[in-house]
Structures are given as C-alpha cells and as structure tokens.
Amino acid sequence: AQSVTQLDSHVSVSEGTPVLLRCNYSSSYSPSLFWYVQHPNKGLQLLLKYTSAATLVKGINGFEAEFKKSETSFHLTKPSAHMSDAAEYFCVVSDWEGAQKLVFGQGTRLTINP
Amino acid sequence: GAGVSQTPSNKVTEKGKYVELRCDPISGHTALYWYRQSLGQGPEFLIYFQGTGAADDSGLPNDRFFAVRPEGSVSTLKIQRTERGDSAVYLCASSLTLLGGNTEAFFGQGTRLTVV
C-alpha cells in the first residue's frame, strides 16, 4: 500500500528566501505524485503533478518538485518565498497514474516572515 | 462560477443523530470523490463515483456511512448514529473524467461536521 511522509509539520522562512518542503513516499508500483496547497477557507488546489514524463516538475506560482526514485523523495521547492505562499501544503501519492484514490501526507504548514 | 460547492459549510449535531452532507460538483464532471480530514491530518479517501455508481467505497469507515449520487451529479454523504469521532471536515472533489493524464480533481471548501 502506498504512503506519504512529510518530514516537517511546520516550516518558517523569511520573505524572499528559498522554500523547501520535504516529502518521502512509499509505493508498490510506479506512482503518481502531487503537491496540493490549502489556503485558509479555500479548497485544496493542485500545485503540480509527476507522472513519469520528467523528473523535474514545474508547477504554478513558481513552485517545482523533483522526483528522486533512489531516495523515494518528492521535495517541493521555490527559489523565493512570497507572503501569499503562507498555507498548508500536502504531498500526495497514488499507486499508478490511473488510480483514483489519493493518499495524502499529514501536511506542512508554511509560515512566511516579513 | 462554478467550482465544487458543499453545503452546509458547518454542521453541528448531537451524538446519535443522522446527518446529510451535500456536494454539487462542477457541471459536466463525471467523477466525484469524498474525503475526510480530521484535525491536524491530511484528507483520507472515503469513496468515489463514476457517474451514478460507487466505484470504490473501500474508505468508508463502517456501515454508518453511506453515499449516493442518483443522477450522476449531486452527491450526498449520509452518516447515521453520529459519534464524536466523526467530527472532521468532509471534502468533496470532482473531475471531468477519471483521474489520470492531465485530468485534475477540483476540491470544494468542505463541510465542517462537529458532533457534540
């Protein structure tokens, strides 16, 4: 069965500095991996998705993630944090590209300091 | 404007009561998903529909939980004999077709259920 571990429950960075949110996954197959963001009082929004086409995936709002099979990792990065990036971020795995069940990590709360 | 709409946004009920949570998917979306998010946790899969039929209900925690989608559009999640442990945010998502390729799931804002 697939699972996701987000290594930090809370990350705090200063505005304009890089962001790194860490995620490790476990899957029996060739997984699809996602990052979702959840702003307060808003629905979950897809940031980016990996489906084996390319290991470096670019998403919205300047975020990107790199799939590293040898490390079973899918860390999310952004070169320069903006105040509007403050939110909860979820790393998500599905067992294969056509799987309908998404398995979410516990989330990382990102705080941006002015 | 039409995103996924969930009603009510908040529901407080007494232990033992019956509740219904409603999800209006994006128009034309054939697939619909329910998730439950407990405090401090990530969402957990409950059930999904392709059209009117429940294709996978393996995430429903027990037989007090049931969901329907009779006309392939609106879905209702029904919880009987509610327990305090059922308190959570219930999320609904829809997608144009089944997930895969470039198909994305769009989530509603959720219904916060509190059982007292």
Side-chain angles (χ1 to χ4, degrees):
Chain A
Q2 65 273 45
S3 67
V4 171
T5 301
Q6 292 185 242
L7 298 170
D8 306 290
S9 58
H10 186 207
V11 170
S12 181
V13 302
S14 297
E15 189 176 18
T17 64
V19 175
L20 170 64
L21 305 183
R22 300 182 294 162
C23 172
N24 286 107
Y25 71 91
S26 170
S27 175
S28 305
Y29 306 101
S30 296
S32 289
L33 292 157
F34 313 75
W35 277 96
Y36 278 84
V37 61
Q38 189 175 42
H39 287 94
N41 301 316
K42 292 194 175 181
L44 286 158
Q45 181 184 18
L46 180 65
L47 276 180
L48 51 80
K49 175 182 180 181
Y50 165 78
T51 56
S52 78
T55 56
L56 184 62
V57 183
K58 293 188 183 299
I60 61 172
N61 300 334
F63 284 94
E64 62 181 38
E66 185 171 8
F67 173 72
K68 292 187 176 181
K69 186 174 182 178
S70 61
E71 299 176 9
T72 61
S73 69
F74 190 58
H75 301 334
L76 182 71
T77 60
K78 182 173 180 177
S80 176
H82 192 271
M83 294 299 291
S84 61
D85 295 328
E88 188 90 16
Y89 291 79
F90 293 95
C91 182
V92 182
V93 65
S94 68
D95 248 352
W96 53 286
E97 187 175 346
Q100 300 306 303
K101 176 180 172 180
L102 301 178
V103 176
F104 285 75
Q106 293 194 319
T108 297
R109 178 163 301 278
L110 177 62
T111 301
I112 312 296
N113 303 309
Chain B
V4 176
S5 176
Q6 292 188 246
T7 53
S9 55
N10 280 284
K11 175 72 176 177
V12 180
T13 191
E14 293 180 347
K15 179 176 177 294
K17 298 289 189 183
Y18 167 83
V19 296
E20 291 189 350
L21 311 180
R22 178 186 169 107
C23 174
D24 282 86
I26 294 171
S27 177
H29 279 198
T30 63
L32 185 146
Y33 308 81
W34 284 99
Y35 284 78
R36 178 169 72 171
Q37 186 174 15
S38 300
L39 190 63
Q41 304 293 319
E44 293 179 303
F45 172 82
L46 295 176
I47 184 172
Y48 90 88
F49 292 85
Q50 170 63 357
T52 60
D56 182 354
D57 64 358
S58 62
L60 294 177
N62 52 59
D63 62 6
R64 295 187 296 107
F65 289 74
F66 190 70
V68 296
R69 196 185 184 201
E71 298 178 357
S73 178
V74 170
S75 176
T76 305
L77 179 65
K78 307 180 181 197
I79 310 174
Q80 298 178 321
R81 304 183 304 279
T82 52
E83 300 177 357
R84 292 195 179 89
D86 299 334
S87 296
V89 176
Y90 289 81
L91 298 171
C92 177
S94 71
S95 58
L96 185 61
T97 61
L98 291 176
L99 295 179
N102 292 322
T103 303
E104 175 183 346
F106 294 86
F107 283 81
Q109 294 187 32
T111 294
R112 181 176 299 279
L113 175 67
T114 304
V115 182
V116 298

